[in-house]
Amino acid sequence: MSKGLKGEYNHSVDTKGRMIIPSKLREELGASFIITKGIDGCLFAYPNDEWELFESKLSKLPTTNKDSRNLKRFFQGSAVDCEVDNQGRVLIPATLRNFAGITKDVTIIGVGERAEIWSKEKWEESNNVDDIDFDEIAQGMEDLGIII
């Protein structure tokens, strides 16, 4: 298992849809990994071992439950195997770029077991410090049993 993806990096996507994976994240993601649709309008990038754990959890969901079927379709239906080329780039398929609103500039953040790939504009909108209620975040952490 990975040691944990972390950090924030800014890059761009070229005209062919290729993006450089920052070397620190590449060490954790590996030479091949999975990219799929993510929550909040970004893409999720999973190291293969973390993806297998996630798929294992999805496989345990009941097929008779509509929400379960929709979750599987959302994540597994859009998942692609990505190979890092000699220049440290991966090709992000157009369907995934369109889903995330990625046209040129991207922000890649490590969030533990996965990385998130955001259009720079969406990331800046969702991560605006002026709009963040730190008391609400602290209360949410406490509610989850995370005491700092």
Side-chain angles (χ1 to χ4, degrees):
M1 275 189 220
S2 66
K3 294 185 284 184
L5 296 145
K6 55 188 166 282
E8 179 178 326
Y9 309 86
N10 292 300
H11 282 281
S12 59
V13 174
D14 68 16
T15 56
K16 294 181 181 178
R18 297 173 301 192
M19 177 188 73
I20 291 176
I21 300 297
S23 61
K24 292 210 184 249
L25 293 181
R26 201 166 49 237
E27 290 173 17
E28 291 294 315
L29 288 168
S32 67
F33 55 90
I34 308 298
I35 295 179
T36 189
K37 290 177 181 174
I39 299 171
D40 298 324
C42 67
L43 302 177
F44 289 169
Y46 285 94
N48 288 321
D49 58 346
E50 291 291 347
W51 176 253
E52 288 173 16
L53 290 172
F54 183 57
E55 274 194 315
S56 174
K57 292 174 185 175
L58 290 175
S59 73
K60 291 179 175 82
L61 296 174
T63 305
T64 54
N65 180 288
K66 184 176 182 175
D67 290 335
S68 296
R69 292 191 308 271
N70 286 335
L71 272 174
K72 290 178 181 184
R73 289 176 187 137
F74 182 79
F75 291 112
Q76 292 175 303
S78 64
V80 294
D81 293 300
C82 293
E83 299 282 333
V84 179
D85 69 14
N86 292 335
Q87 296 177 355
R89 302 172 301 189
V90 294
L91 175 65
I92 301 175
T95 54
L96 290 177
R97 290 194 316 268
N98 291 338
F99 168 81
I102 294 170
T103 54
K104 179 79 175 147
D105 295 324
V106 295
T107 299
I108 309 158
I109 60 168
V111 290
E113 77 282 354
R114 69 175 185 272
E116 295 180 352
I117 304 167
W118 291 79
S119 77
K120 186 174 181 169
E121 298 81 21
K122 277 188 186 179
W123 174 247
E124 288 174 350
E125 287 171 20
S126 70
N127 197 40
N128 184 345
V129 173
D130 295 334
D131 295 336
I132 295 174
D133 183 340
F134 291 102
D135 290 332
E136 184 178 319
I137 290 172
Q139 183 61 53
M141 290 174 65
E142 185 176 318
D143 292 348
L144 293 169
I146 302 169
I147 309 297
I148 54 171

